[in-house]
Amino acid sequence: MSSPREADRPAGRRTTRVLIGALIAAATAVVALPAVPAQAAGAGAAGKVVYLTFDDGPSPRYTPQVLALLSQYGVRATFFEIGQNVAAYPGVTRQVHAQGNSVQNHSWSHPDLRNLSKSAFDYQVTATDARIRAQTGYTPSCLRPPYGGVNTTVRARAAALGKSVQLWSVDPQDWSRPGRAAIERRVLNAVTPGAVILLHDGGGDRSQTVAALPAILRTLKARGYTFALMCR
């Protein structure tokens, strides 16, 4: 959050009464806060907000562990799920949704969307939409392209399907399994208000991510951050 702009200094001599009046006016001025996504309204939008996201699930092993920790710390997150995993583990997606988290589109099989024909692109998105809708009752409004692979074509095709492309600003590369301490440090050193944190609950061994999550949640909450959903 930016600091309030300092009041202009008066030019020339001022009486004591005028100086006191100026100081009172400066002290009571309204501070303009940076805008946050509309989806965050009502979720600490006037303070320090962070967006916690998980990719590549659902996983029958790691997603429930992540959900248990989110519940323990009273945090909700946005899960960008792979369609074929939703098809394989629909009950896990229902659990993600039932706990108040947001379930969004991460393609059907995790290809680089920049390399696909329009028909293949449309299938990757719409097939995943259908599986998520069957478990949550809504169609995802957001698409996170695998690998962060975005260009003008991807954005245009996503928009044509009613999707907002959502990426991230904090990437601890937890997918590479650098160790619990490294994941914690990379997240906590990089977070600023409005940050979008990328973590993974599927796609491989995510035990280090699960192990790092309590310290991340506990520390960010102690720093005064609230957690909001990116998409609804």
Side-chain angles (χ1 to χ4, degrees), residues 168-215:
W168 56 84
S169 62
V170 176
D171 180 6
Q173 298 189 337
D174 64 321
W175 56 267
S176 67
R177 304 185 71 244
R180 173 194 57 79
I183 296 169
E184 292 173 6
R185 183 178 65 254
R186 291 172 184 180
V187 170
L188 296 174
N189 287 350
V191 164
T192 57
V196 178
I197 301 170
L198 170 63
L199 294 172
H200 294 79
D201 65 317
D205 181 348
R206 302 306 175 212
S207 57
Q208 293 181 2
T209 301
V210 172
L213 195 53

Side-chain angles (χ1 to χ4, degrees), residues 43-62:
K48 297 195 297 185
V49 179
V50 66
Y51 303 91
L52 183 61
T53 70
F54 293 89
D55 281 13
D56 294 356
S59 158
R61 179 172 183 179
Y62 298 109

Side-chain angles (χ1 to χ4, degrees), residues 68-223:
L69 290 169
L70 295 179
S71 179
Q72 177 183 342
Y73 287 91
V75 169
R76 294 187 299 167
T78 303
F79 288 75
F80 289 92
E81 295 193 340
I82 295 175
Q84 63 185 9
N85 289 347
V86 179
Y89 312 110
V92 182
T93 294
R94 287 196 299 273
Q95 184 182 356
V96 172
H97 171 63
Q99 196 167 302
N101 301 289
S102 177
V103 181
Q104 299 298 320
N105 197 312
H106 195 41
S107 81
W108 178 260
S109 58
H110 209 275
D112 189 328
L113 298 179
R114 294 171 294 186
N115 299 331
L116 301 185
S117 67
K118 183 181 184 303
S119 61
F121 180 102
D122 288 353
Y123 174 80
Q124 286 285 330
V125 176
T126 59
T128 303
D129 276 353
R131 293 291 185 170
I132 292 175
R133 185 167 54 246
Q135 306 309 321
T136 66
Y138 63 81
T139 300
S141 61
C142 296
L143 170 68
R144 174 169 284 173
Y147 315 106
V150 177
N151 57 21
T152 56
T153 300
V154 168
R155 291 188 182 279
R157 289 175 175 174
L161 296 174
K163 296 287 182 284
S164 170
V165 172
Q166 298 290 343
L167 299 178
W168 56 84
S169 62
V170 176
D171 180 6
Q173 298 189 337
D174 64 321
W175 56 267
S176 67
R177 304 185 71 244
R180 173 194 57 79
I183 296 169
E184 292 173 6
R185 183 178 65 254
R186 291 172 184 180
V187 170
L188 296 174
N189 287 350
V191 164
T192 57
V196 178
I197 301 170
L198 170 63
L199 294 172
H200 294 79
D201 65 317
D205 181 348
R206 302 306 175 212
S207 57
Q208 293 181 2
T209 301
V210 172
L213 195 53
I216 291 170
L217 298 177
R218 183 170 59 248
T219 304
L220 290 178
K221 294 191 81 170
R223 292 178 183 177

Side-chain angles (χ1 to χ4, degrees), residues 1-3 31-37 45-47 49 193-194:
M1 182 175 66
S2 59
S3 301
V31 178
L33 296 173
V36 298
V49 179

